[in-house]
């Protein structure tokens, strides 16, 4: 008979559990002078340090804070190249007429499988060092059957949270016949990608895919067992948010331009409003109003939207700082949204919290409180990271 070794993380000044039945009774479930016990890949015990059970091993947090691992529920990591010239021109106030997403599509198509996989691994390692222990990533820079299929296949080597985004934009190969491209996405492309993906996404926006096209694509994905996510209401007001709620999408992402009906729909449905402040930072666009969403009763997640064009950051702490400074969130709300909120956007209950039975994903901050994530922006505060019960950083 074998037993699994146990490890206690002790001398935690402030522990964020995201379980309101614990600690101070707030959504963060904050416990002061705490300890956590890990057994295998799970949290076995959480509570006040003086009541901690004996364990095989111990790690002294030294009076630092511990939070759940960040859950990044929206990223685009399967790509090649970058768009430095585009960003430089935008930030310098100069016109720039290169191809945007199409530039990345061309570079991605030209890259080998090995190059694409190495890029994904590199950005994931970068994110892990900053405390991200779960991430979703999408296809969308291939836009052919072969290139989309290899994108989701490569993504599936690195995460279980893979999204098929053949409907990112209309492929340049079908610029004169968008209907034919929708037929391709919902037919041969979906057939090739569905075995590797959990989710299906569509960019429902003027200049990308309209409401009827988006509904057709998402319902085709549902029929193949892929659950919807929607890029919605980023560039202007449109039908994306209400379509997401109608189809019980796990998340409506961006949510920058909302009317009262959108807020009511999000407040009454299960669809999470995922906010992506890195995109607004990198494009100098209007900030989403998180305060308005929270006031309507919506569940809010924060994510990086890591991609080479509009948000080339893998830093969840950076997004927390932006959300607090520019989107009306409190530090507590932003940390919850970057952990438990992201888990909700992935319809997961085993991550985003530090409570018995949850996966042992957690971050020891080089700070006495989670508030320092917004208080000390740009400072690398992830002192140690556990993922699945193993110390990864």
């Amino acid at each position: 008979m074998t037993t699994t070794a146990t490890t206690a993380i002790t001398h935690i000044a402030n522990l964020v559990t995201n379980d309101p039945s614990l600690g101070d009774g707030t959504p963060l479930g904050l416990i002061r002078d705490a300890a956590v016990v890990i057994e295998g890949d799970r949290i076995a015990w959480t509570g006040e340090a003086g009541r901690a059970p004996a364990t095989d091993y111990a790690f002294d947090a030294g009076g630092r804070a511990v939070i759940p691992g960040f859950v990044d529920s929206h990223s685009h990591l399967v790509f090649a190249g970058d768009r430095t010239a585009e960003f430089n021109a935008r930030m310098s106030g100069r016109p720039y007429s290169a191809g945007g997403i199409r530039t990345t599509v061309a570079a991605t198509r030209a890259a080998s499988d090995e190059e694409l996989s190495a890029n994904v691994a590199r950005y994931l390692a970068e994110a892990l060092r900053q405390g991200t222990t779960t991430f979703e990533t999408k296809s969308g820079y291939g836009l052919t059957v072969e290139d989309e299929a290899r994108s989701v296949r490569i993504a599936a080597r690195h995460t279980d949270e893979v999204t098929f985004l053949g409907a990112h934009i209309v492929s340049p190969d079908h610029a004169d016949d968008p209907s034919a491209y929708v037929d391709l996405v919902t037919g041969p492309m979906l057939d090739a990608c569905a075995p590797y993906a959990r989710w299906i996404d569509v960019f429902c926006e003027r200049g990308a895919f309209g409401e009827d096209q988006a509904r057709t694509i998402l319902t085709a994905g549902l029929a193949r067992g892929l659950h919807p996510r929607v890029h919605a209401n980023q560039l202007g007001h449109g039908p994306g948010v209400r379509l997401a709620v109608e189809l019980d999408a796990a998340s409506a992402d961006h949510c920058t331009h909302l009317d009262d009906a959108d807020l009511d729909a999000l407040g009454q449905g299960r669809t999470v409003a995922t906010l992506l402040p890195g995109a607004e930072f990198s494009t100098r666009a209007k900030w989403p109003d998180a305060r308005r969403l929270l006031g309507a009763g919506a569940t809010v997640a924060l994510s990086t939207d890591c991609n080479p064009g509009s948000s080339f950051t893998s830093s969840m702490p950076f997004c927390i700082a932006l959300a607090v400074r520019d989107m009306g969130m409190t530090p507590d709300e932003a940390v919850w949204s970057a952990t438990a909120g992201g888990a909700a956007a992935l319809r997961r209950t085993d991550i985003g919290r530090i409570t018995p039975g949850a996966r042992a994903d957690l971050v020891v901050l080089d700070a006495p409180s989670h508030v320092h994530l917004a208080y000390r922006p740009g400072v690398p505060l992830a002192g140690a990271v556990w993922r699945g019960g193993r110390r990864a950083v």
Side-chain angles (χ1 to χ4, degrees), residues 16-306:
V16 173
T17 69
N18 286 338
D19 183 344
S21 71
L22 300 174
D24 63 356
T26 67
L28 291 188
L30 192 67
I31 304 175
R32 304 186 192 283
D33 189 18
V36 173
V37 174
I38 298 170
E39 184 173 6
D41 66 349
R42 298 285 147 176
I43 302 295
W45 182 91
T46 299
E48 295 176 0
R51 300 181 179 179
T55 57
D56 299 302
Y57 304 99
F59 174 88
D60 189 343
R64 293 178 288 176
V66 172
I67 65 171
F70 297 122
V71 180
D72 191 345
S73 61
H74 183 126
S75 73
H76 303 251
L77 299 183
V78 187
F79 69 88
D82 69 25
R83 283 157 41 201
T84 306
E86 176 185 330
F87 177 81
N88 192 32
R90 186 190 305 132
M91 293 297 110
S92 304
R94 298 195 306 268
Y96 187 78
S97 58
I101 290 174
R102 291 172 179 82
T103 301
T104 302
V105 168
T108 302
R109 289 179 178 180
S112 68
D113 286 12
E114 293 72 23
E115 290 170 324
L116 293 176
S117 188
N119 278 346
V120 174
R122 178 160 61 96
Y123 296 124
L124 292 181
E126 182 179 280
L128 181 65
R129 290 194 297 270
Q130 299 172 86
T132 298
T133 52
T134 301
F135 70 96
E136 176 268 6
T137 201
K138 309 175 192 296
S139 66
Y141 292 123
L143 308 186
T144 67
V145 172
E146 178 183 356
D147 286 302
E148 285 296 296
R150 74 176 182 137
S151 292
V152 292
R153 188 172 62 247
I154 288 167
R157 297 176 191 169
H158 300 275
T159 181
D160 294 331
E161 302 294 349
V162 177
T163 300
F164 166 48
L165 181 60
H168 199 181
I169 59 169
V170 174
S171 169
D173 311 316
H174 292 79
D176 296 328
D177 193 355
S179 295
Y181 185 65
V182 172
D183 290 342
L184 183 69
V185 170
T186 57
M189 193 180 288
L190 178 58
D191 290 340
C193 294
Y196 302 97
R198 181 183 178 202
W199 308 97
I200 186 167
D201 198 346
V202 62
F203 188 22
C204 183
E205 197 81 47
R206 186 178 293 111
F209 296 90
E211 180 177 2
D212 291 342
Q213 292 172 319
R215 183 180 284 103
T216 296
I217 291 163
L218 295 172
T219 54
L222 274 166
R224 290 300 305 272
L226 305 185
H227 204 80
R229 323 182 68 76
V230 183
H231 280 63
N233 298 52
Q234 177 188 7
L235 305 178
H237 186 259
V241 163
R242 275 171 278 180
L243 178 62
V245 176
E246 172 194 325
L247 297 178
D248 190 35
S251 67
D253 297 29
H254 288 289
C255 294
T256 306
H257 300 273
L258 304 178
D259 63 16
D260 289 343
D262 298 320
L263 291 168
D264 289 343
L266 288 166
Q268 294 172 21
R270 292 200 304 162
T271 300
V272 174
T274 300
L275 306 184
L276 310 167
E280 282 72 39
F281 176 86
S282 296
T283 60
R284 290 179 173 157
K286 173 186 174 183
W287 296 100
D289 190 341
R291 186 84 269 126
R292 194 167 165 232
L293 279 159
L294 292 165
T299 300
V300 174
L302 288 176
S303 188
T304 64
D305 192 18
C306 187

Side-chain angles (χ1 to χ4, degrees), residues 321-382:
L322 291 179
V324 171
R325 182 187 182 276
D326 294 305
M327 288 166 36
M329 301 187 88
T330 68
D332 284 11
E333 290 166 342
V335 169
W336 189 95
S337 293
T339 51
L346 295 175
R347 298 253 164 111
R348 298 275 295 272
T349 59
D350 62 325
I351 55 176
R353 58 197 180 97
I354 301 176
T355 190
R359 199 172 78 175
D361 295 349
L362 51 86
V363 183
V364 179
L365 299 176
D366 284 335
S369 167
H370 62 281
V371 177
H372 281 236
L373 290 163
Y375 180 45
R376 303 198 68 207
V379 177
L381 293 179

